Amino acid sequence: MNRRNFLQKSAVSAASLGLAPLVGSAYSSLYGQTAPSDKVKVALIGCRSQGYANLNTFLNYPEVECVALCDVDDEWLNKRADDVLKKAGKAVPNLYKDWRRVIDNKDVDVVIVGTPDHWHCLPTIMACQAGKDVYVEKPLSNTIEECNLMVKGARKYNRVVTVGQWQRSDPHWDEAAAFLRAGKIGRIRTVKVWAYQDNKPTLPVKPDTNPPAGVDYDMWLGPAPKRPFNEYRFHYNFRFFWDYAGGLMADWGVHLLDYALEGMGVGLPKHVFSGGGKFAYPDDAMETPDTLMVTYAYDNFNIMWDHACGISHGLYDKKEGLAFYGENGTMILTRAGWEVIPEVSNNVARMEAVPFKKGEGKGLYNHVGNFLKCIKSRELPACDIAVGARIATMAQLGNISSRLQREVRWDSDINQFINDDQANALAKAYYRAPWELPKL
């Protein structure tokens, strides 16, 4: 579907769903001139951490009203209901433990999906089917197959779906990418991307237990394999187990690798090879690599990913970031800002230095604002679902190569690995009954 048809059909769809007042309401409503009839009614699925950080930011916009919260854990559901009451001065009218009740609620305009990664696909697609727009956390999903389905669902139902890669709305990232694409540091041969995270320590093996009181653990597992409850597979630490997530590569990689592609103006690579494993904590409970290096090979340059759990000093003494190595200079780009260090030959600099340009630090706030504007205009948001799908796939390519301990070759035209049944099997989603992948 081309962009013009997408926007036209989205407007028709919005009108048929009774959302015409939102589409036609004043652009200035984002800046405090919102009438009660213009309220954007938001529901959050997954309340504990980043999901609530997202909702809390939504509530900084005066036209937003929270009408539903959903979480499988009573402790966090009730805590967030209190938090919303304190912030908004108004109680949340609907508290659910089953996310399907959020989808059934006709008052909901927007769904925020803040669940673990393995639970991103189904709520997002079902929300789209129900005529709701979606803000879904990154990475877009836990498999390449789900990524493809989610993009297909958003387009089929003409919904605005944005992914929580909020750096897409922090201006200094795009400013840096534009500087690179203008060729000012010369031909780039290597891009290094890293995340050294000392706040992700070892997970000592612990015995399985019964789920805590008030937790619907079977719903938390959802389509993932049936396993006994273990606190180190639950809440925050889910991200280190293949059933639910993709480790540090998926957690940080989608933020940073996204701008490796933007800066170089390229799509997915054809050749990927990884090396890594549990080098720091070989006997702990974590399944995903605590140490990993991935080479994404292109025709004239490489993008190299490097992550480590339990270490904080990455390149240039920064915990995470990107370095673009050009003939004339090196750009260093982080969440704090960017700078360019000139290459010096025979005491002569090949270009002028670019002193550190500080970012404004309002990425999440801007990202939510961009999404709210787009649900009115029906334009594609700053991190449209197709952008999130591309970079989630990029992370999966690195993880799959690591799991197979060999090179993999990718064909973007057909969204498959080339002549590689093992790799293609790891790209698929396998749902536990009675849950099923959507059929679109």
Side-chain angles (χ1 to χ4, degrees), residues 138 193-202 236 239-240 247-249 251-253 255-256 280-281 286 289-291 305-315 318-321 335:
K138 60 80 194 169
V193 190
W194 69 94
Y196 277 37
Q197 301 294 305
D198 61 347
N199 63 336
K200 299 182 187 299
T202 182
Y236 176 84
R239 65 198 69 216
F240 302 117
L248 201 53
M249 161 62 85
D251 193 30
W252 266 98
H255 280 306
L256 301 174
Y281 314 117
M286 186 187 307
D290 57 43
T291 307
W305 168 260
D306 178 11
H307 85 227
C309 296
I311 301 175
S312 62
H313 297 288
L315 288 176
K318 300 181 187 303
K319 291 180 66 174
E320 63 273 332
R335 284 184 167 179

Side-chain angles (χ1 to χ4, degrees), residues 44 65 72 104 123 127-128 130 199 212 245 272 313 351 365 373 410 434:
L44 170 62
E65 178 182 357
V72 298
D104 290 339
C128 289
N199 63 336
V272 181
H313 297 288
M351 66 177 293
Y365 180 81
K373 292 176 185 177
W410 178 255

Side-chain angles (χ1 to χ4, degrees), residues 40-289:
V40 180
K41 296 179 179 178
V42 173
L44 170 62
I45 302 172
C47 297
R48 180 178 176 271
S49 183
Q50 188 60 44
Y52 184 71
N54 296 333
L55 175 63
N56 189 53
T57 304
F58 269 80
L59 291 172
N60 288 332
Y61 286 88
E63 76 240 58
V64 171
E65 178 182 357
C66 179
V67 297
L69 295 173
C70 178
D71 201 285
V72 298
D73 188 337
D74 285 344
E75 176 187 358
W76 287 100
L77 182 62
N78 294 326
K79 174 173 173 44
R80 296 314 186 198
D82 289 342
D83 290 339
V84 173
L85 175 61
K86 292 173 185 175
K87 180 169 182 96
K90 183 177 180 181
V92 180
N94 300 289
L95 303 180
Y96 304 129
K97 294 188 75 168
D98 186 332
W99 60 267
R100 291 169 293 189
R101 296 189 64 188
V102 172
I103 306 302
D104 290 339
N105 188 328
K106 298 188 187 314
D107 289 335
V108 173
D109 302 317
V110 170
V111 174
I112 303 170
V113 179
T115 61
D117 306 358
H118 72 290
W119 257 130
H120 287 179
C121 180
L122 278 173
T124 296
I125 291 178
M126 289 187 68
C128 289
Q129 289 173 326
K132 306 176 192 305
D133 296 318
V134 181
Y135 184 108
V136 56
E137 250 315 302
K138 60 80 194 169
L140 182 61
S141 77
N142 196 34
T143 66
I144 295 173
E145 182 176 23
E146 289 172 308
C147 284
N148 296 334
L149 280 172
M150 293 168 79
V151 173
K152 187 176 181 180
R155 299 298 188 251
K156 178 176 180 178
Y157 299 107
N158 300 318
R159 306 319 304 160
V160 175
V161 181
T162 200
V163 184
Q165 294 164 218
W166 51 259
Q167 289 168 181
R168 283 263 166 179
S169 297
D170 208 354
H172 78 271
W173 291 86
D174 285 337
E175 180 185 33
F179 186 94
L180 289 167
R181 291 195 298 269
K184 295 186 178 181
I185 69 170
R187 183 172 60 86
I188 299 169
R189 67 183 72 175
T190 303
V191 184
K192 293 185 178 179
V193 190
W194 69 94
Y196 277 37
Q197 301 294 305
D198 61 347
N199 63 336
K200 299 182 187 299
T202 182
L203 299 178
V205 175
K206 286 195 171 186
D208 298 332
T209 63
N210 292 323
V215 171
D216 185 342
Y217 178 59
D218 190 67
M219 178 60 83
W220 186 91
L221 285 173
K226 182 73 172 178
R227 296 185 186 275
F229 178 84
N230 191 290
E231 67 173 285
Y232 271 162
R233 300 177 72 94
F234 191 53
H235 283 331
Y236 176 84
N237 291 317
F238 73 83
R239 65 198 69 216
F240 302 117
F241 296 90
W242 296 121
D243 286 350
Y244 325 117
L248 201 53
M249 161 62 85
D251 193 30
W252 266 98
V254 293
H255 280 306
L256 301 174
L257 287 167
D258 186 23
Y259 272 85
L261 299 186
E262 281 296 296
M264 298 305 293
V266 295
L268 296 175
K270 295 179 181 178
H271 299 273
V272 181
F273 38 98
S274 303
K278 294 178 61 176
F279 296 168
Y281 314 117
D283 300 319
D284 78 351
M286 186 187 307
E287 292 178 349
T288 60

